């Protein structure tokens, strides 16, 4: 089956399931193409709602974001954000952290969002994800688990995640997730070296052979991985990755979706909301477009669309491929206000 057919088959299956399980979300998804034609965002709301985590992963991109001096968003504020997003025709949330399954905020926040209106994904490192928990997440209104696995073998994964026994728990979490009727993505971090390894080909062959999609995150030299430029990919590496999509159901954030090629999806296809209400155009940079306690989601998205990096179609990933760009984002300050980072030449008047 060709790449286009693999992607189409996967999307068709997901859409039919969404239509059955959450028709209100499905109706919004069906309007995405028209929204893009009008220049509107169809952003996933990636919500880093609690930075607490039981792991200390090699590549952690948010190791510098926790701040006990700042007040975290509350359930009533999340409800307001969800209401604004629904009115804008947005349809998807990704709940992340930290490790979402260790946070007491997870269920109250999901209920505050009114889960019937959304396709809700939840990231997890798998440590707490057993059969009982998977069933509870399904009942809560979560639709998909995005499970992080960074090696086909236990030794590689456990070393990368700095958590002995984590690979075994992840493998058990796969069965728990599928048995509960939840959708499943395997998320994996890929450096330049790993991309071309036999281990990576075996990895995607194994999981896609089980009819499980694999989502690839290209390593970015930020957070705990700051300064590790040797792991960055280039255009040749990206082209090689795209060639793998002819044979495997493997995706990245640059993979076309809903029949549309957006290139880099920052702002157009995804934004990140921090625990404190900051809106980041890209989750791997500390650049804030505004705070949802101070401005509306509509106004913040409009601002994001005025920045060339986010407005224009970019078929590469600057944080993973452009060393000079990522060095510009290095700062002891979090977040960096957009008007202190972008130059006049980078703003569309």
């Amino acid at each position: 089956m060709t790449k286009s057919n693999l992607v189409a088959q996967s999307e068709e299956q997901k859409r039919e399931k969404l239509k059955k399980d959450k028709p209100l979300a499905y109706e919004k998804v069906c309007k995405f193409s028209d929204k893009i034609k009008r220049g509107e965002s169809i952003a996933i709301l990636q919500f880093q709602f609690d930075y607490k985590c039981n792991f200390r992963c090699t590549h952690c991109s948010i190791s510098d974001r926790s701040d006990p001096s700042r007040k975290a968003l509350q359930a009533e504020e999340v409800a307001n954000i969800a209401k604004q997003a629904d009115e804008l025709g947005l349809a998807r949330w990704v709940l992340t952290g930290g490790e979402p399954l260790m946070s007491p905020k997870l269920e109250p926040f999901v209920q505050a969002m009114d889960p019937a209106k959304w396709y809700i994904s939840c990231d997890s490192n798998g440590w707490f994800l057993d059969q009982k928990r998977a069933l509870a997440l399904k009942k809560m209104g979560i639709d998909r688990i995005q499970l992080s696995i960074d090696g086909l073998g236990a030794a590689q994964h456990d070393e990368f995640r700095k958590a002995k026994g984590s690979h075994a728990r992840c493998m058990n979490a796969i069965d728990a997730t599928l048995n509960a009727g939840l959708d499943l993505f395997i998320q994996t971090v890929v450096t330049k070296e790993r991309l071309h390894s036999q281990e990576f080909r075996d990895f995607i062959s194994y999981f896609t052979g089980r009819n499980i999609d694999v989502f690839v995150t290209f390593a970015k030299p930020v957070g705990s991985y700051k300064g590790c430029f040797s792991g960055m990919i280039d255009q040749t590496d990206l082209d090689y990755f795209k060639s793998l999509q002819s044979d495997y159901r493997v995706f990245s954030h640059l993979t076309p979706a809903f029949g549309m090629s957006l290139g880099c999806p920052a702002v157009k296809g995804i934004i990140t909301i921090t625990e404190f209400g900051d809106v980041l155009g890209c989750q791997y940079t500390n650049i804030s477009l505004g705070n949802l306690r101070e401005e509306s989601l509509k106004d913040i998205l409009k601002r994001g669309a005025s920045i060339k990096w986010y407005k224009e179609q970019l078929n590469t990933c600057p944080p993973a491929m452009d060393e000079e760009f990522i060095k510009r984002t290095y700062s002891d300050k979090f977040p960096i206000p957009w008007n202190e980072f972008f130059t006049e030449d980078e703003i569309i008047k």
Side-chain angles (χ1 to χ4, degrees), residues 242-258:
K242 291 177 180 178
S243 74
L244 295 175
Q245 294 180 305
S246 299
D247 300 314
Y248 305 100
R249 280 169 53 169
V250 59
F251 305 85
S252 78
H253 66 296
L254 295 173
T255 303
F258 304 106

Side-chain angles (χ1 to χ4, degrees), residues 18-19 22-29 86 91 114 116-118:
L18 183 63
K19 183 178 182 180
K22 292 190 171 179
L24 295 177
Y26 173 79
E27 288 175 11
K28 289 187 286 187
V29 168
D86 182 50
D114 194 354
K117 296 178 179 177
W118 307 96

Side-chain angles (χ1 to χ4, degrees), residues 314-328:
L314 189 64
N315 294 316
T316 62
C317 177
M321 302 174 70
D322 188 334
E323 184 175 330
E324 293 308 310
F325 174 84
I326 205 64
K327 282 180 177 177
R328 279 180 62 196

Side-chain angles (χ1 to χ4, degrees), residues 287 303 306-310 325 328 336-349:
I287 309 160
R303 176 177 298 129
S306 72
I307 296 167
K308 289 183 178 181
W309 288 96
Y310 305 141
F325 174 84
R328 279 180 62 196
I336 308 168
W338 66 277
N339 54 356
E340 294 181 15
F341 181 85
F342 296 110
T343 66
E344 285 191 18
D345 291 341
E346 293 171 312
I347 306 297
I348 300 171
K349 302 299 182 182

Side-chain angles (χ1 to χ4, degrees), residues 185-227:
F185 255 5
I186 300 299
Q187 297 189 137
T188 194
V189 177
V190 172
T191 61
K192 175 189 283 286
E193 180 182 12
R194 187 180 180 217
L195 176 62
H196 297 280
S197 70
Q198 185 60 45
E199 179 275 333
F200 179 63
R201 188 175 281 272
D202 291 343
F203 182 97
I204 58 177
S205 180
Y206 173 78
F207 288 110
T208 59
R210 292 186 61 180
N211 204 32
I212 301 171
D213 291 345
V214 175
F215 184 88
V216 165
T217 297
F218 300 116
K220 285 92 174 170
V222 298
S224 297
Y225 208 56
K226 184 178 179 179

